[in-house]
Amino acid sequence: MTREDAVQAEQSNGILVLTVSRPQALNALNRRILAELRSRLLQAERDDAVRVTVITGEGGKAFAAGADIGEFMDLADEQAGREYARHGQEIFAMIASLTKPVIAAINGYALGGGLELALACDIRCASERATFGFPEATLGILPGFGGIERAARLIGRSASLQLMLTGMPIDAAEALRLGLVDRVVAHDGLMREVLALAARMAEQPPAALAAIKECLGRGMEAEAALFGRLVVSDEARSRCRAFLEKRRR
């Protein structure tokens, strides 16, 4: 890890913390950051020492305050714009499909592409100071990294449309009420809370966590098939045996 990295990485006790490191631009997501997120997450997926990944932003102001608007101005034509959006969609879809849990620690602004990044994560924990929104319409564009569909699935069509059609930001309390985030905690205690949650997940068998994630969206048949595979595994047998022996004492 060097200070030149656009995404800082720290790993301990099965938890990988990835920090978007562009505080001078409120951690706006440019191509370099997206490429480094992709590389580090794919590496974590292959690394047995990593059980859970946390994504956050450097500094106390922003998780990620959108995509880099300056890069929009370099898009030469409609085809270039489409390819730019597809690239972001592919990376965020990869995040959503990882077998290992990914937690967003939202420590400030999560706007536009930054909110889309948070939505691609499995769990969203926010500082009480965090701010959320989709301001794209105010720029004459729309969320292009998969956020429209993910937001609608998470908080419903009407709530998503209100955020996107007005471009108005909301605070952490309203985001929690809508279900946009799962937890809101004191700003200074955010990483402590997130790391405690990640540690609890890291204690569980990786195969069970991966199977739970795989079942989402696949229906009860997949659930039954994966249950059947797991329940006869050595890991499950050992843990169930320990539970029963403890209960008999």
Side-chain angles (χ1 to χ4, degrees):
M1 181 181 75
T2 70
R3 287 304 303 167
E4 287 72 37
D5 291 333
V7 178
Q8 304 291 314
E10 295 184 13
Q11 184 176 331
S12 178
N13 299 320
I15 301 168
L16 174 67
V17 178
L18 298 179
T19 304
V20 177
S21 182
R22 199 184 175 207
Q24 72 280 8
L26 294 177
N27 300 322
L29 304 173
N30 57 16
R31 287 185 175 91
R32 181 183 174 193
I33 288 172
L34 292 175
E36 287 195 22
L37 277 173
R38 180 182 185 277
S39 176
R40 291 192 181 279
L41 285 163
L42 288 175
Q43 182 179 353
E45 183 77 346
R46 297 188 295 266
D47 186 351
D48 291 341
V50 176
R51 297 291 190 93
V52 182
T53 299
V54 173
I55 299 177
T56 192
E58 183 175 345
K61 292 185 177 180
F63 173 73
D68 189 331
I69 296 173
E71 289 188 341
F72 297 172
M73 306 305 293
D74 296 331
L75 298 172
D77 52 29
E78 183 176 336
Q79 180 62 28
R82 182 181 296 112
E83 290 174 358
Y84 179 88
R86 286 283 176 85
H87 181 62
Q89 288 175 356
E90 289 169 3
I91 293 173
F92 287 6
M94 178 272 294
I95 294 172
S97 68
L98 293 171
T99 64
K100 300 175 182 179
V102 182
I103 304 172
I106 305 166
N107 55 323
Y109 294 113
L111 305 174
L115 181 49
E116 292 185 279
L117 172 59
L119 290 173
C121 297
D122 298 307
I123 306 290
R124 284 157 293 282
C125 299
S127 156
E128 61 192 352
R129 301 180 191 172
T131 300
F132 304 83
F134 286 111
E136 285 88 348
T138 68
L139 300 173
I141 57 175
L142 52 71
F145 290 169
I148 293 177
E149 287 297 317
R150 287 195 179 92
R153 288 199 299 267
L154 189 65
I155 65 173
R157 185 176 187 273
S158 297
S160 300
L161 282 174
Q162 182 168 304
L163 287 175
M164 295 176 194
L165 298 182
T166 65
M168 292 178 61
I170 60 173
D171 62 17
E174 179 65 4
L176 181 64
R177 187 190 71 81
L178 290 174
L180 200 61
V181 299
D182 304 291
R183 295 187 183 187
V184 173
V185 302
H187 183 75
D188 293 340
L190 175 63
M191 287 307 296
R192 182 172 63 252
E193 292 280 343
V194 169
L195 291 175
L197 176 63
R200 177 65 175 167
M201 292 181 184
E203 293 174 355
Q204 315 312 320
L209 300 184
I212 289 167
K213 289 193 63 176
E214 186 179 345
C215 281
L216 292 174
R218 289 187 56 196
M220 287 185 281
E221 186 60 35
E223 186 177 290
L226 288 166
F227 177 86
R229 181 197 306 171
L230 287 173
V231 76
V232 296
S233 68
D234 292 342
E235 180 77 39
R237 293 290 201 214
S238 174
R239 287 177 176 243
C240 289
R241 189 178 300 112
F243 173 82
L244 291 171
E245 289 174 355
K246 183 178 179 180
R247 191 174 66 179
R248 290 182 188 125
R249 291 184 192 138

